Amino acid sequence: PSTTVSGSGSSFFTPSLCRTRRHASTIANPTPSQQVLDWNSFFSLRTSRRRYSLASSIVSSFATTGAMFVFLSTQPELADQLTKLI
């Protein structure tokens, strides 16, 4: 049995943004230039987003590793302490 908020008929645990109701005057009418997102388009967008994410992760990891090597080359005593730990 779900607990309901009086008068709304929705679950108590549903976020308030999901319970709001739109009036006819606030609903935007879709224009012909807007496209409906089907599953094939969604998976295509998801694939490209994952590729960009992977590429940026690889680039940032190389940049961070390079910056750390440069930093450790300027701090020899810190580099010696780290090599002792490893």
Side-chain angles (χ1 to χ4, degrees):
S2 65
T3 307
T4 59
V5 177
S6 62
S8 70
S10 63
S11 171
F12 175 75
F13 298 105
T14 304
S16 62
L17 292 175
C18 294
R19 285 194 304 251
T20 59
R21 297 180 189 209
R22 296 185 145 206
H23 300 287
S25 63
T26 61
I27 298 175
N29 293 328
T31 61
S33 64
Q34 292 177 336
Q35 295 179 355
V36 176
L37 185 64
D38 61 348
W39 283 109
N40 290 331
S41 301
F42 169 75
F43 288 129
S44 169
L45 289 171
R46 183 175 146 191
T47 302
S48 65
R49 182 176 178 187
R50 288 177 61 120
R51 286 181 184 154
Y52 286 125
S53 177
L54 179 63
S56 65
S57 294
I58 291 170
V59 168
S60 65
S61 67
F62 280 124
T64 304
T65 303
M68 192 62 186
F69 280 131
V70 169
F71 174 73
L72 288 177
S73 68
T74 62
Q75 305 290 327
E77 59 277 347
L78 182 62
D80 291 337
Q81 289 176 356
L82 286 176
T83 54
K84 288 179 185 177
L85 288 174
I86 296 173

